[in-house]
Amino acid sequence: MNAPDLLVTRTSKAARTAAVLGLILLVALIAAPWWAGSADMRLMSELFLYLALASLWNLMAGYAGLVSVGQQAYVGFGGYMLFALTILGGLHPQLAVVLAAGLAAAISVPVAVLIFRLRGAYFAIGSWVVAEVFRLAFAQVSALGGGSGSSLPVGIVKSLAETRSGREALSYWLALGAGAGVVAAVYLFLRSRKGLALTAIRDNELAAGSLGIDIWRTKFLVYVVVSGLTAIIGALIFLQKLRISPDAAFSVNDWTAFVIFIVVIGGIGTIEGPIIGTLIYFALRETLADLGTIYLLILGLVAIVVMLRAPKGVWGVIRDRFDLSLFPLGYRVMPDPGSREGR
Amino acid sequence: MPEPILQIDKLDAFHGDFQALYGLDLTIAEGEVLAIIGANGAGKTTLLRSIAGLMRNEADQIRYRGRPIGALRADQVAGLGIALVPEGRQLFPSLSVEENLQIGGRVGRAGPWSLETVFGLFPILRERRHQASTSLSGGQQQMVAIGRALMANPDLILFDEISLGLAPIIIKDIYDALPGIVGGGVTAVIVEQDITKALSVSSRVYCLQEGRVSLESASDNVSREEISRAYFGIS
Amino acid sequence: MEWLNAVVQGVLLGGLYALFAAGLSLIFGVMRLVNIAHGDLIVLAAYLGLSTSMALGLHPLLSLVLVVPVMAAIGYALQRGVLNRTLGEDVLPPLLVTFGLSVILQNALLEIYTADPQKLSAEVMETASFSVGGLTLGVLPVLTFVVAVAAIGALQWIFYHTPLGRAFRAVSDNQDIAQLMGLNKAHVFGLAMALALAVTAVAGIFLGIRTSFDPSIGGGRLIFGFEAVIIGGLGSLWGTLAGGVILGVAQTVGAKIDPGWQILSGHIVFLLILAVRPNGLLPKVSG
């Protein structure tokens, strides 16, 4: 008797359905400037940018095992580079955003060399110290407003687009592009060989090392790339806000605490997790924001409960329950529907 | 027949998903010296760790003087009078020789063993009492490990491969001290790779093979052939 | 002379930082846990001192009599109720849970006390000073330093000369075998956290007397404590004192150069030491 013909595939029905739905959603979102109001577009922009930050932090912490509490360093750095390159350097904002990424990646190299000497929670706090150094350093730069910060001059703002609605649409599209782009980049990266190496490190560092994977190099690369991309997001954030100050640029709460909560609640170590987490976070924020500090308290409590009871987050629960994977990374073996045996 | 001091009933034990013990049945009479032999991976250490409370088992699977202890924590089991001399000695590196012994006595049970009597049994340790425990030779560390277990004045001592990694003359010295340990009515379970040694000091022997009992016999009434078959699982 | 004064002030400031760091160092030594909420717990102690001294009309130092046991009890409950569940191989749970704890503490304090800066008033002691060889030393900084040395000395004594200390060291060496000695590790960890928070309570009160505080400054105190621990070397309590002193001196000397550079100087010295001697100056455990 013949063995049944088997099909080895990466995709699944759920993933294909999700891809189609996702594409439809993407088209609808691109068309938003024609059907959404200004306030809604600002909210969605914020959502996309947080999604990007969360996906990047998740890649570092959930896959590379680098739990950083200092990514606000690069958010702020990106923002300040935008302001510096446009105001002092006379560059066009969009060019400044791209350059900011390169500069951030460059500065992240010596930072990584330093803080990679620390492990675990000490690495986390070390990354926080670096962010504090950035904050204190930029507060000393009077050309960029020192401790009280500065606003983006009208001329630069106007150079983005002539009309106000044009600028709103551009800001929105940049944010949407960033959010979708980062998620796509993370997905494609994790599907690649390098991404596989990273997942191996995540699962068992010792075993991965014995297979010949250069652990330090891989983590170092991830740190540098993530920092560069985080700087782009930071630049886009402050391009929207039109104003920057050291406390706002390097805020632990805004750029790290909320991001961590999003990833933990959504599901760390999965691609879908940050998406779910961002949606939940914004849903909570819109409904509970009036409660101010109580809202943050609840957020902290939820994060702790999730970490203790359901450490894989909301998506982890869904995935384990329904064996679902919308961004398929692994391979499946199933009977070949094309052959007679598999029917 | 008097109640056995330890009764093991269909004991299962797992390391994660891997099953190490399959429905083990075992009886230990009070005051006897029982040997447990078997190849590496047969489940000997898992058995001792289960008795000592370092692994979670069903309560009824392990009964001590009739009382179900399978689900108790290791510190609770220690308080009942069961002591383990762990495989590989496992002394506390941050503690001196004397401190290792002192912490062994923490359980605070009454009995003949104290710092003085332990030093009497192993005089070399008295000289080195303030040294870091891991700076001692292998044989001396084994003495500390045994002394540490004795300090708890246990009624049941479990020895896990005390000859591992030691020179034959050191092994001889340690086993020479054994009668002094078990003489006072203490029950002993000795897990050993050295079959001759195990048979010579014990009254009964169990052989484990892949998590099951493959042989039970009086130590002076078993042939080499029977042991080989039970040890390697060849029938 | 001015510079000598700055150095001396830095040494004394180091005492406060050593107090911040002692609890962190102890907990890491016993259970390899880094508590991100540590700074917020220092601030909590300051607020407890505030409420106690206001409600009972006590001098802040006297309020220690109440605040220390309360913080110790909080530590024990926190460890057994929440933190024990996070201990294990994975580094993520303790980090994220203590991070969540930090946010909860900050916002709870905000709710109860508002964001207004507060201060524990110790009246005369705050400004009293005496002269030694041309230098003017404040009573408060000197007292803080003496208390820090005493606290670390007490912790060392506990660790190396008491049964409790033996239990701490044994559990830290080998959790399984320590249990064979009749040690309930959940309880031992609880006691360690209780002890750490007792020292943290002292740190909080002295912080509150020295400067004004509000719910948001916890993060900064955590960083100072952490820097002191790393500079001094993990696993060594006296090293933590040395680390605190070095950090303090770095800050005061930096402030002498430019007042806006005080905290930044501390960070820079920390990063330098991390670059040159990543294991710290007197390490017993590698990071």
Side-chain angles (χ1 to χ4, degrees):
Chain A
M1 187 174 142
N2 291 335
D5 289 332
L6 296 171
L7 181 66
V8 177
T9 173
R10 272 190 125 154
T11 184
S12 69
K13 197 146 156 226
R16 281 193 294 263
T17 318
V20 170
L21 285 177
L23 228 60
I24 297 176
L25 181 65
L26 196 60
V27 170
L29 286 176
I30 295 176
W34 287 282
W35 56 261
S38 295
D40 286 339
M41 284 210 300
R42 280 189 77 92
L43 182 64
M44 287 196 284
S45 297
E46 213 188 334
L47 194 150
F48 299 143
L49 292 172
Y50 261 105
L51 173 60
L53 284 177
S55 296
L56 289 170
W57 192 88
N58 178 43
L59 183 66
M60 258 196 5
Y63 286 90
L66 295 168
V67 182
S68 165
V69 183
Q71 286 310 91
Q72 66 271 21
Y74 300 105
V75 173
F77 184 83
Y80 265 103
M81 282 303 105
L82 170 73
F83 275 59
L85 292 171
T86 53
I87 298 176
L88 305 175
L91 295 177
H92 190 273
Q94 286 171 312
L95 180 58
V97 169
V98 173
L99 257 170
L103 290 168
I107 203 173
S108 74
V109 170
V111 168
V113 168
L114 264 179
I115 64 176
F116 273 32
R117 290 162 191 257
L118 300 167
R119 319 210 109 254
Y122 283 104
F123 169 83
I125 304 182
S127 68
W128 192 350
V129 174
V130 168
E132 283 296 290
V133 171
F134 279 29
R135 179 177 68 87
L136 291 166
F138 275 101
Q140 298 287 329
V141 179
S142 46
L144 291 170
S148 30
S150 59
S151 302
L152 207 56
V154 180
I156 296 178
V157 177
K158 282 236 154 74
S159 73
L160 286 171
E162 274 304 311
T163 63
R164 188 195 173 112
S165 59
R167 283 192 293 277
E168 281 178 1
L170 183 63
S171 271
Y172 170 83
W173 281 324
L174 283 173
L176 173 60
V182 165
V183 173
V186 168
Y187 176 50
L188 290 173
F189 173 70
L190 287 174
R191 270 178 84 112
S192 72
R193 279 179 65 116
K194 275 258 174 313
L196 192 60
L198 200 63
T199 311
I201 294 175
R202 190 261 314 262
D203 287 343
N204 190 329
E205 208 169 293
L206 192 60
S210 69
L211 285 174
I213 295 174
D214 189 338
I215 299 195
W216 198 93
R217 270 264 298 263
T218 310
K219 290 190 179 187
F220 183 80
L221 210 70
V222 170
Y223 183 82
V224 169
V225 170
V226 164
S227 301
L229 292 176
T230 302
I232 293 185
I233 309 300
L236 289 177
I237 289 173
F238 287 98
L239 186 61
Q240 280 226 335
K241 285 181 187 276
L242 301 176
R243 182 158 216 294
I244 199 167
S245 72
D247 287 344
F250 299 101
S251 158
V252 174
N253 265 339
D254 289 337
W255 314 127
T256 284
F258 294 153
V259 168
I260 291 183
F261 289 148
I262 286 175
V263 175
V264 168
I265 294 174
I268 194 167
T270 67
I271 301 182
E272 301 86 343
I275 300 177
I276 304 250
T278 310
L279 291 171
I280 295 178
Y281 169 74
F282 274 85
L284 276 177
R285 199 181 80 167
E286 293 306 294
T287 47
L288 293 177
D290 299 336
L291 300 175
T293 49
I294 304 271
Y295 161 65
L296 289 168
L297 231 146
I298 295 178
L299 210 57
L301 260 168
V302 171
I304 290 184
V305 168
V306 166
M307 205 60 219
L308 290 178
R309 287 300 168 84
K312 296 191 188 162
V314 169
W315 179 253
V317 171
I318 295 178
R319 180 188 59 178
D320 287 345
R321 189 88 196 283
F322 301 107
D323 194 22
L324 215 53
S325 185
L326 300 179
F327 287 86
L329 292 177
Y331 289 86
R332 293 164 171 266
V333 178
M334 45 197 231
D336 189 344
S339 81
R340 271 174 294 159
E341 297 277 344
R343 231 180 342 243
Chain B
M1 170 165 157
E3 179 167 41
I5 191 174
L6 197 73
Q7 176 79 44
I8 303 215
D9 237 325
K10 299 196 196 20
L11 179 67
D12 292 322
F14 296 85
H15 292 293
D17 287 335
F18 168 71
Q19 183 157 9
L21 299 177
Y22 294 84
L24 217 58
D25 287 330
L26 208 127
T27 308
I28 307 179
E30 182 141 19
E32 79 168 328
V33 177
L34 178 72
I36 299 184
I37 60 177
N40 277 332
K44 311 188 298 294
T45 295
T46 307
L47 173 61
L48 291 194
R49 285 174 65 96
S50 296
I51 298 173
L54 289 174
M55 304 197 54
R56 286 231 69 146
N57 309 98
E58 303 284 320
D60 283 338
Q61 287 174 342
I62 306 176
R63 283 179 185 279
Y64 179 67
R65 298 190 197 281
R67 174 182 164 174
I69 65 166
L72 291 184
R73 288 192 317 262
D75 56 287
Q76 295 167 309
V77 172
L80 294 175
I82 299 178
L84 172 67
V85 182
E87 184 182 13
R89 270 84 69 183
Q90 298 199 52
L91 300 180
F92 298 113
S94 302
L95 271 54
S96 68
V97 167
E98 179 161 325
E99 288 177 318
N100 267 280
L101 295 175
Q102 281 174 313
I103 203 166
R106 205 197 145 275
V107 189
R109 286 169 53 90
W113 295 106
S114 65
L115 265 183
E116 274 312 303
T117 46
V118 169
F119 285 146
L121 184 65
F122 298 123
I124 185 80
L125 298 184
R126 188 196 298 272
E127 291 168 35
R128 304 189 184 283
R129 64 200 293 174
H130 295 302
Q131 283 184 351
S133 54
T134 41
S135 68
L136 269 54
S137 72
Q140 290 164 357
Q141 287 192 33
Q142 191 60 274
M143 295 177 194
V144 177
I146 294 174
R148 186 177 63 179
L150 289 175
M151 288 287 293
N153 284 303
D155 293 332
L156 170 63
I157 306 191
L158 312 168
F159 295 93
D160 198 348
E161 304 219 26
I162 54 179
S163 64
L164 201 64
L166 299 182
I169 187 151
I170 310 290
I171 298 174
K172 182 182 176 308
D173 283 344
I174 291 182
Y175 269 100
D176 282 346
L178 200 62
I181 297 169
V182 298
V186 174
T187 313
V189 175
I190 301 183
V191 161
E192 255 304 339
Q193 291 256 6
D194 184 341
I195 299 175
T196 315
K197 258 284 176 291
L199 291 177
S200 67
V201 298
S202 60
S203 52
R204 272 197 315 142
V205 62
Y206 278 92
C207 182
L208 295 187
Q209 200 262 328
E210 288 189 356
R212 295 176 175 82
V213 174
S214 57
L215 174 71
E216 181 199 344
S217 165
S219 300
D220 55 7
N221 193 19
V222 65
S223 73
R224 275 289 156 166
E225 242 187 80
E226 287 176 279
I227 292 181
S228 279
R229 282 204 300 266
Y231 204 91
F232 297 108
I234 313 162
S235 53
Chain C
M1 203 51 181
E2 291 279 303
W3 290 97
L4 182 60
N5 189 46
V7 170
V8 170
Q9 297 306 325
V11 170
L12 297 179
L13 178 61
L16 183 63
Y17 291 160
L19 275 176
F20 288 170
L24 260 181
S25 193
L26 195 162
I27 292 302
F28 184 76
V30 175
M31 57 183 101
R32 296 283 181 282
L33 174 81
V34 176
N35 184 355
I36 302 232
H38 184 80
D40 304 287
L41 288 164
I42 297 176
V43 174
L44 173 67
Y47 274 106
L48 285 177
L50 182 74
S51 293
T52 312
S53 54
M54 273 180 18
L56 301 177
L58 289 175
H59 186 278
L61 286 184
L62 276 179
S63 73
L64 277 172
V65 173
L66 261 173
V67 176
V68 167
V70 167
M71 287 290 288
I74 291 177
Y76 189 83
L78 186 64
Q79 186 65 37
R80 290 205 71 162
V82 177
L83 296 179
N84 268 344
R85 288 169 221 245
T86 67
L87 296 176
E89 289 296 311
D90 196 358
V91 72
L92 224 49
L95 217 132
L96 296 176
V97 166
T98 54
F99 191 67
L101 209 64
S102 167
V103 170
I104 291 178
L105 265 173
Q106 279 189 28
N107 286 284
L109 288 172
L110 256 178
E111 261 304 297
I112 302 174
Y113 293 99
T114 80
D116 293 340
Q118 306 278 359
K119 200 163 174 321
L120 297 176
S121 75
E123 292 136 24
V124 183
M125 195 173 64
E126 289 177 39
T127 48
S129 62
F130 56 96
S131 291
V132 168
L135 292 170
T136 314
L137 302 177
V139 166
L140 182 62
V142 170
L143 180 63
T144 309
F145 189 82
V146 168
V147 167
V149 173
I152 291 191
L155 285 177
Q156 282 285 117
W157 181 79
I158 290 177
F159 251 76
Y160 292 101
H161 294 99
T162 66
L164 179 64
R166 273 201 295 275
F168 284 155
R169 282 180 287 147
V171 165
S172 149
D173 277 345
N174 192 329
Q175 287 182 22
D176 272 356
I177 306 302
Q179 293 197 97
L180 294 178
M181 309 291 117
L183 290 170
N184 180 353
K185 64 178 181 185
H187 177 62
V188 172
F189 288 151
L191 290 178
M193 186 56 89
L195 187 59
L197 287 201
V199 177
T200 303
V202 176
I205 300 293
F206 275 96
L207 170 73
I209 299 178
R210 188 193 177 98
T211 68
S212 61
F213 56 94
D214 66 76
S216 71
I217 71 167
R221 305 324 102 183
L222 169 71
I223 287 185
F224 292 157
F226 159 77
E227 288 178 331
V229 170
I230 297 287
I231 292 174
L234 289 172
S236 161
L237 281 171
W238 289 120
T240 300
L241 178 65
V245 165
I246 292 176
L247 180 65
V249 171
Q251 285 192 355
T252 49
V253 169
K256 198 99 186 65
I257 300 175
D258 181 336
W261 277 71
Q262 176 172 350
I263 299 185
L264 192 54
S265 321
H267 291 334
I268 289 177
V269 167
F270 162 75
L271 290 174
L272 271 172
I273 294 190
L274 188 61
V276 173
R277 278 193 77 112
N279 280 337
L281 300 174
L282 305 163
K284 276 192 187 162
V285 175
S286 68

